[in-house]
Amino acid sequence: PQNILVIGTDNADRLADDDPVRNDRQTGSLLADVIMIFRIDPQAQSVSLLSIPRDTYVPIEPTGRKSKINSAMGGPSGPQHLIDTIKTNFGISIEHYVEVDFRGFRDLVEVLGGVPVYLSHPVRDRNTALRIDQVGCVTLDPVQALAYARSRHLEYQVDGKWRTDPTGDLGRISRQQDFIRRAGQR
């Protein structure tokens, strides 16, 4: 079995200067917004997916200073600090990792020709500029997909009224895992 760490960083440096995602974002930002571990077991012919919430408060390697796990990406050895932090706190060895910034995520969705998701209601998130009024199977373009995957303040519309999704970051993790599975099917 192999464990592959997928790190989605909050880095927007490779996006155009006028891209809305860059609003109020510092250059060189590098926090782990997405922390997913794929466990591939060839013998069992299975793939498992585990997400670690970005705000999980743990001792960060190599200092042992407690902080949110997403901060382990900071510094010159960021990915290795995150890998070591996961190993120390959760006992999970990481054999490989992939790091994707905002541009890389959009590029992936572009190559796939969009990623279909099912929406039972119109959705929005003012923090990520997400706004999708269609319902049913909707193929997200690269800009919509990034806003959807980043959404922690999702609202959905029922009977003409916007309601806040109470699941917050855990809801975002569920949407991200669903999105990854659907992207994999593409």
Side-chain angles (χ1 to χ4, degrees):
Q2 298 269 313
N3 293 320
I4 302 169
L5 175 63
V6 177
I7 307 164
T9 67
D10 67 345
N11 189 304
D13 291 353
R14 297 188 315 129
L15 297 178
D17 289 342
D18 62 346
D19 193 300
V21 174
R22 292 188 69 136
N23 288 351
D24 299 325
R25 184 171 297 282
Q26 295 178 349
T27 304
S29 177
L30 194 61
L31 295 173
D33 264 0
V34 177
I35 304 168
M36 288 185 180
I37 302 168
F38 284 85
R39 180 169 180 79
I40 301 170
D41 188 340
Q43 188 172 15
Q45 296 183 342
S46 67
V47 177
S48 303
L49 180 60
L50 170 72
S51 292
I52 299 174
R54 66 186 292 276
D55 293 339
T56 303
Y57 200 72
V58 296
I60 304 296
E61 291 299 325
T63 66
R65 177 186 53 85
K66 285 193 167 191
S67 189
K68 293 178 183 179
I69 195 166
N70 71 331
S71 69
M73 278 295 291
S77 301
Q80 190 59 54
H81 288 172
L82 181 57
I83 290 166
D84 293 344
T85 297
I86 290 169
K87 171 75 173 166
T88 299
N89 290 284
F90 304 106
I92 301 171
S93 295
I94 303 295
E95 284 74 34
H96 308 282
Y97 81 92
V98 176
E99 184 179 326
V100 181
D101 64 4
F102 290 161
R103 173 72 184 271
F105 182 89
R106 283 185 180 172
D107 288 349
L108 174 64
V109 174
E110 180 74 30
V111 166
L112 295 175
V115 175
V117 297
Y118 181 80
L119 300 173
S120 56
H121 303 285
V123 294
R124 73 179 183 189
D125 183 329
R126 296 175 197 183
N127 294 8
T128 66
L130 175 67
R131 177 70 188 241
I132 303 171
D133 294 320
Q134 303 94 327
V135 294
C137 186
V138 178
T139 300
L140 302 182
D141 66 31
V143 172
Q144 290 172 319
L146 180 60
Y148 180 77
R150 293 183 59 228
S151 179
R152 293 186 349 162
H153 305 282
L154 187 78
E155 295 177 300
Y156 55 94
Q157 191 177 43
V158 178
D159 298 327
K161 294 183 180 179
W162 288 101
R163 302 178 191 266
T164 301
D165 176 11
T167 61
D169 199 36
L170 296 177
R172 179 173 85 150
I173 287 171
S174 295
R175 288 188 295 278
Q176 288 170 346
Q177 287 188 357
D178 179 63
F179 185 88
I180 290 292
R181 287 184 184 99
R182 292 172 184 276
Q185 292 171 352
R186 293 291 270 200

